[in-house]
Amino acid sequence: MLRSYLKIALRNLLSQRAYTLLNVTGLTIGMTSGLLIFLFIRYHLSIDRHHTRFERIFRVVTDLHLADGSVEYYPEAPLPMAKTLRTDYPQVEQAAYLKMNRDLTVEPRNVTSSSPQTRFLEHKSTALVEPELFDMLDYQWLRGNAKTALREPNSVVLTESWAKKYFGDANPIGKTLTLNHLTDAKVTGVLADPPKTTDLDINLFISISTLSRLDSSYNQNDWSWLMSTDRLFVTLKNPESVANLEAAMPALLKKHFGADARYYQFHFQPLRDVHFDVKRVVGGAIRPSLLWSLGLVGLFLVLTACINFVNLATAQALRRSKEVGIRKTLGSTRAQLIRQFLLETTLIVLTATGFAVLLTLVTLPLFNQWLSTYLSLELDAPTLGFVLLLLGSVIVLAGGYPAAVLSGFSPWAALKGALPVRAQGNYSIRQALIVLQFVVCQALIVGALVVSAQVRYLHEADLGFKKDNVVVVTLPNPQKERREAFKNELLQYPEIKSVSASHQPPSSRLLYGGSFKMDDKAEWADYPVRERVADADYLKTYGLELVAGRNLSPGDTIREYLVNEAFLKKMNIRDPQKILGRKMQYYLSPVALPIVGVVKDFHLRSLHDEIQPCFIACHSPFFQEAGIRVSGHDPAQTLQRIRQVWEKLYPNEVFEYAYLDEQLAKFYETESLIFRLVNTFTGIAILICCLGLYGLVSFVVTQRTKEIGIRKVLGASVASIVTLLSKDFVKLVLLAILIASPIAWYVMNQWLNDFAYKIAIDWWLFVLSGLLAIGIALLTVSFQSIRAAVVNPVKSLRSE
């Protein structure tokens, strides 16, 4: 019996090649989209889940409660807190502190002459860690001992790939790395490269006892030192005890912070939440809502492909009616007919699934490069389970209703071809399904337009300074003489317009600051002021605008301040002249110093955040980088000149540079990711809708061939016939636009609320998206309609 069903199913599918091809193509595209979205969601949900203690690992984070009622969220905690948690709190099984390095110069010693590079500047993936970290996290040790590898100062552990990078194929154990030209460290262990699904992307582990040799100014016993590079992780014996542990933190804060304890709160954040913590990360973090939204989009794309199948299958009810009538007359039951039609559906879906897996494998490298991910299609239990679930769901969704409709025909009516409208697949249901398809399509088009407009705004908004044509290089040596020589030699070239030494550019991921007090006030302000430490050429180099007073005088120590307009607004001062001459006290100076100028507001961080009160002051010990404004003509030659000056003055350092606008673009990595995803899946939704609409119109045209011929004989024009065939579909698209527009407005408005500075969702976005949807539908429908309208009516009338 099964063999007979299979033979009939294959015969039917091969006899209707166009119908089969449309269904296989639509389902392949929809299922590929669903599979890619599944892999993307799984990738982000599996971050750091390879650690066996995953459910018991927490990160200690700090909330800073300001006197004005606002709260700032930081991912760091004090270094000495790790030892306190290990020794004084029985709920804690283990605690480990790590301090990430932003710029670390690494010079391998005892390297073979075949090594292509002898000095490396590592911007990330290096950290000073306590050895207890290896008791908490799972690493595969290839060489060395986890218990002893980082117990001694000047010890380092490398991952396998970094060991090869530094020492080639030689055994790295016992070899030496010179760190920042300050100290030599011995390699005591090698780890297998960790999985790509981790946020702790560390490849060079340095013993925490080496910190004093790399940074002698760092006070390792000071609880008030909170650095953005610091992290503290704990493993609890029982994760349910976290509430009791947090309840004990106020007493700990009181002990170490005294009267200031009221401003601080320590929280224990589960490791599973760290990857999605957008409050404590500037750019790059993924919101869980984005994953679930993508999951919903994937579901709708698969559903849209299933709707195509249902519409095409039920539209062909009349063609299959005589087959059903004959089979029922010969004794076939309804259950047998349902099995027959479901088998046909299964063959189509199996074929589409095979193509979907192949298409996923082909597109994954491009997808990974595009989204900066490491997705892979491994046929493990979760992936196979998803594919089987997808396969079964599509068979039921796509094949269930058509099988029920086709198997329910009356034999007498089917053989006479006198099927009622309801028996032909319920035309109103097909209309509803078309509307649902275009609701999804229209909502995605609106979303794509809004995201595109907001991303464009993020990249083109006036930041209060000029970000273009600024090259940023790290200053490895804080000595004034060498820094000034570097600056002066660069300015000898006409393509170098200005050079400024600073701690950071105007906009940065880092947000340093603290309390301040005006000289005429007895109390410290109840809100912080942010700092930008730079020399007197900072304004000229970055194009900051002075609105009152004068610029900073050249110098090496802090002697005066510039403040921004937000500082004045916070102090309720409208006239910038009234702040000039007043003195401010800040921790960088033991005495209050005068405010000599006011600069126009500029964005300190991304456009997610409002502009905060800020000052600019000169303090050369903090200078870490140079901003170099260039002419923009012949950038290759300009960079070569900068390199030559660098190598002359810093012969032992690695020359690296970055353009400021490229650095700032990284603030919006998540938004750029959303932009690419929305555009991709909007295009896919449009393609699926067009395929379904094309197939449906083709069938309608075939059904109305004689009617079209008669109308042409009676004098109907091509335009009137195209209008006749198109108007019903256009009405459905218009209804979809009316339904989708308020839904899209609400969803996108919620997304825009995450930005302090954003676009307005104007009416023209909905008009444009509606016109696009109507245009796409008309183009699809008109193609077949025009072909039918220009056919010779004699052929149309002889078609039967």
Side-chain angles (χ1 to χ4, degrees):
M1 182 66 73
L2 180 61
R3 184 178 178 182
S4 174
Y5 285 161
L6 187 61
K7 187 182 296 184
I8 295 170
L10 288 171
R11 186 184 300 131
N12 282 326
L13 295 177
L14 291 174
S15 66
Q16 297 292 321
R17 288 182 175 86
Y19 162 80
T20 304
L21 182 61
L22 282 172
N23 277 325
V24 169
T25 303
L27 289 173
T28 298
I29 295 171
M31 295 175 78
T32 301
S33 303
L35 190 52
L36 286 171
I37 290 174
F38 164 77
L39 294 175
F40 183 83
I41 293 173
R42 184 187 176 193
Y43 170 81
H44 284 284
L45 291 180
S46 61
I47 295 296
D48 286 318
R49 287 184 178 269
H50 58 278
H51 299 298
T52 55
R53 302 172 183 84
F54 176 80
E55 295 295 340
R56 297 194 288 122
I57 298 175
F58 294 77
R59 181 176 72 173
V60 183
V61 296
T62 305
D63 293 352
L64 182 60
H65 293 258
L66 305 178
D68 63 356
S70 61
V71 182
E72 295 181 352
Y73 303 94
Y74 298 98
E76 60 260 28
L79 190 155
M81 188 177 181
K83 183 178 179 180
T84 301
L85 290 175
R86 284 195 296 266
T87 57
D88 296 350
Y89 293 88
Q91 303 97 325
V92 177
E93 178 180 283
Q94 192 57 276
Y97 177 91
L98 65 89
K99 181 179 182 62
M100 295 177 292
N101 296 299
R102 289 201 181 88
D103 295 300
L104 183 72
T105 301
V106 181
E107 189 171 358
R109 300 296 184 185
N110 313 116
V111 184
T112 61
S113 58
S114 60
S115 298
Q117 189 174 348
T118 58
R119 193 177 295 117
F120 302 82
L121 179 58
E122 308 293 5
H123 296 289
K124 58 181 183 178
S125 299
T126 70
L128 293 120
V129 304
E130 291 187 306
E132 287 79 7
L133 186 74
F134 296 124
D135 296 332
M136 301 167 56
L137 305 180
D138 295 334
Y139 289 96
Q140 181 185 351
W141 286 78
L142 303 179
R143 299 175 187 271
N145 187 302
K147 299 293 184 183
T148 60
L150 294 182
R151 289 293 174 188
E152 300 297 327
N154 296 339
S155 302
V156 299
V157 172
L158 300 171
T159 59
E160 185 177 18
S161 59
W162 278 40
K164 288 183 178 180
K165 180 173 76 170
Y166 293 146
F167 301 107
D169 295 328
N171 182 358
I173 298 298
K175 293 190 179 295
T176 302
L177 295 174
T178 300
L179 307 177
N180 276 355
H181 310 294
L182 296 173
T183 187
D184 289 339
K186 183 185 295 185
V187 179
T188 56
V190 178
L191 309 174
D193 291 339
K196 298 296 185 181
T197 52
T198 181
D199 281 339
L200 290 172
D201 181 24
I202 304 174
N203 290 283
L204 171 58
F205 302 81
I206 309 168
S207 58
I208 194 69
S209 52
T210 314
L211 176 58
S212 59
R213 307 185 186 192
L214 291 175
D215 186 359
S216 58
S217 65
Y218 196 96
N219 189 341
Q220 301 184 40
N221 298 312
D222 190 343
W223 282 70
S224 65
W225 277 50
L226 291 173
M227 305 293 289
S228 59
T229 55
D230 301 350
R231 300 292 184 269
L232 174 56
F233 292 93
V234 300
T235 304
L236 301 186
K237 297 174 182 176
N238 183 354
E240 296 180 0
S241 65
V242 66
N244 293 333
L245 188 59
E246 284 206 3
M249 290 299 102
L252 180 66
L253 285 164
K254 184 70 175 176
K255 176 180 178 181
H256 293 282
F257 289 87
D260 291 334
R262 66 184 187 275
Y263 297 120
Y264 296 89
Q265 272 190 340
F266 291 140
H267 294 288
F268 292 80
Q269 182 183 49
L271 186 59
R272 64 175 176 272
D273 294 339
V274 170
H275 183 65
F276 305 104
D277 189 1
V278 295
K279 293 189 298 185
R280 293 174 169 84
V281 177
V282 182
I286 296 290
R287 292 179 181 273
S289 58
L290 171 61
L291 297 184
W292 307 134
S293 298
L294 280 176
L296 196 60
V297 169
L299 176 63
F300 277 130
L301 290 175
V302 174
L303 185 61
T304 300
C306 292
I307 289 172
N308 281 354
F309 189 101
V310 171
N311 281 339
L312 291 174
T314 56
Q316 296 194 82
L318 191 59
R319 185 185 66 80
R320 302 291 299 268
S321 61
K322 290 186 179 180
E323 174 195 344
V324 172
I326 291 171
R327 290 171 68 87
K328 280 196 169 184
T329 302
L330 295 176
S332 293
T333 64
R334 186 174 187 183
Q336 289 174 323
L337 291 172
I338 288 175
R339 286 196 292 271
Q340 172 67 50
F341 293 128
L342 283 178
L343 181 59
E344 292 180 17
T345 302
T346 302
L347 289 176
I348 291 176
V349 175
L350 280 172
T351 304
T353 303
F355 282 124
V357 171
L358 290 175
L359 189 56
T360 300
L361 288 171
V362 170
T363 55
L364 263 181
L366 178 63
F367 201 72
N368 282 327
Q369 181 181 1
W370 209 26
L371 302 180
S372 300
T373 52
Y374 300 94
L375 309 185
S376 61
L377 182 60
E378 299 175 0
L379 295 180
D380 51 9
T383 303
L384 284 174
F386 176 78
V387 171
L388 292 175
L389 177 64
L390 185 63
L391 180 68
S393 301
V394 171
I395 290 173
V396 173
L397 288 172
Y401 177 69
V405 169
L406 294 172
S407 64
F409 290 165
S410 164
W412 175 83
L415 289 172
K416 288 192 66 176
L419 295 176
V421 173
R422 180 180 179 185
Q424 294 183 38
N426 202 334
Y427 186 66
S428 62
I429 289 181
R430 284 206 298 275
Q431 288 179 314
L433 292 176
I434 292 171
V435 170
L436 178 58
Q437 274 188 316
F438 273 91
V439 164
V440 174
C441 189
Q442 173 67 11
L444 285 172
I445 291 174
V446 173
L449 290 174
V450 172
V451 171
S452 176
Q454 177 65 13
V455 170
R456 190 183 309 112
Y457 171 75
L458 294 175
H459 290 291
E460 297 178 358
D462 181 10
L463 301 178
F465 61 93
K466 298 176 182 178
K467 63 180 180 179
D468 297 323
N469 295 323
V470 176
V471 178
V472 179
V473 298
T474 302
L475 290 175
N477 193 322
Q479 291 179 359
K480 176 183 177 181
E481 294 78 11
R482 193 169 297 187
R483 184 180 70 246
E484 289 298 317
F486 177 67
K487 180 175 180 179
N488 292 332
E489 290 207 26
L490 285 177
L491 291 174
Q492 292 177 7
Y493 298 107
E495 57 266 41
I496 307 295
K497 301 303 180 183
S498 63
V499 182
S500 172
S502 65
H503 183 254
Q504 59 197 125
S507 284
S508 170
R509 292 180 186 269
L510 307 177
L511 198 63
Y512 295 102
S515 298
F516 72 98
K517 183 176 71 171
M518 302 304 293
D519 61 342
D520 57 349
K521 302 289 184 181
E523 299 293 330
W524 291 80
D526 59 2
Y527 55 90
V529 63
R530 302 305 175 184
E531 64 184 52
R532 287 293 181 265
V533 179
D535 64 13
D537 290 316
Y538 195 67
L539 271 62
K540 179 182 178 182
T541 301
Y542 292 102
L544 294 166
E545 183 180 338
L546 195 65
V547 297
R550 62 171 175 83
N551 190 15
L552 297 172
S553 299
D556 293 322
T557 57
I558 184 167
R559 293 182 294 179
E560 54 197 12
Y561 300 105
L562 302 177
V563 296
N564 65 352
E565 293 173 313
F567 185 92
L568 273 63
K569 292 174 186 175
K570 197 72 175 178
M571 296 186 67
N572 295 317
I573 298 175
R574 294 186 178 182
D575 183 2
Q577 298 294 333
K578 293 184 177 180
I579 196 70
L580 301 179
R582 294 183 61 179
K583 293 185 177 181
M584 181 178 77
Q585 187 173 345
Y586 188 69
Y587 82 92
L588 290 178
S589 173
V591 297
L593 299 171
I595 295 172
V596 299
V598 178
V599 296
K600 185 179 179 181
D601 276 342
F602 58 93
H603 288 274
L604 304 175
R605 299 181 93 184
S606 75
L607 296 185
H608 289 90
D609 304 314
E610 293 184 354
I611 297 175
Q612 298 184 43
C614 173
F615 73 80
I616 302 172
C618 184
H619 189 61
S620 61
F622 280 17
F623 293 167
Q624 292 184 349
E625 60 186 34
I628 307 167
R629 176 160 294 281
V630 299
S631 64
H633 300 296
D634 197 356
Q637 180 181 348
T638 303
L639 289 173
Q640 183 60 31
R641 293 194 188 284
I642 296 173
R643 178 187 290 273
Q644 290 171 352
V645 175
W646 173 278
E647 292 176 346
K648 174 184 176 182
L649 294 170
Y650 301 105
N652 296 322
E653 305 293 342
V654 180
F655 174 74
E656 290 188 0
Y657 69 92
Y659 281 101
L660 179 61
D661 56 349
E662 295 175 356
Q663 285 185 335
L664 299 182
K666 294 179 181 179
F667 287 176
Y668 310 110
E669 290 175 336
T670 300
E671 287 70 33
S672 297
L673 171 66
I674 293 172
F675 173 69
R676 292 190 289 269
L677 288 172
V678 170
N679 280 356
T680 300
F681 293 122
T682 299
I684 290 172
I686 291 172
L687 179 59
I688 293 173
C689 286
C690 288
L691 285 172
L693 203 56
Y694 177 83
L696 203 55
V697 172
S698 300
F699 189 80
V700 169
V701 167
T702 303
Q703 277 191 319
R704 302 179 70 172
T705 299
K706 290 187 69 175
E707 176 191 346
I708 293 169
I710 293 170
R711 286 179 180 275
K712 288 198 71 177
V713 169
L714 295 176
S717 64
V718 172
S720 64
I721 292 174
V722 172
T723 302
L724 173 71
L725 296 173
S726 305
K727 64 180 182 181
D728 289 339
F729 293 105
V730 172
K731 289 177 183 177
L732 298 179
V733 175
L734 286 171
L735 178 60
I737 291 171
L738 291 175
I739 296 172
S741 294
I743 297 173
W745 176 87
Y746 175 78
V747 172
M748 298 315 300
N749 200 52
Q750 292 296 112
W751 178 68
L752 287 173
N753 284 338
D754 292 332
F755 299 89
Y757 303 91
K758 56 194 175 185
I759 63 165
I761 304 180
D762 294 320
W763 60 269
W764 64 264
L765 284 170
F766 297 96
V767 173
L768 178 59
S769 60
L771 290 175
L772 283 172
I774 294 171
I776 291 165
L778 278 175
L779 188 64
T780 306
V781 173
S782 298
F783 180 76
Q784 276 294 83
S785 301
I786 292 171
R787 285 183 61 186
V790 297
V791 172
N792 190 326
V794 175
K795 292 183 178 180
S796 300
L797 294 173
R798 290 175 57 192
S799 64
E800 295 187 6

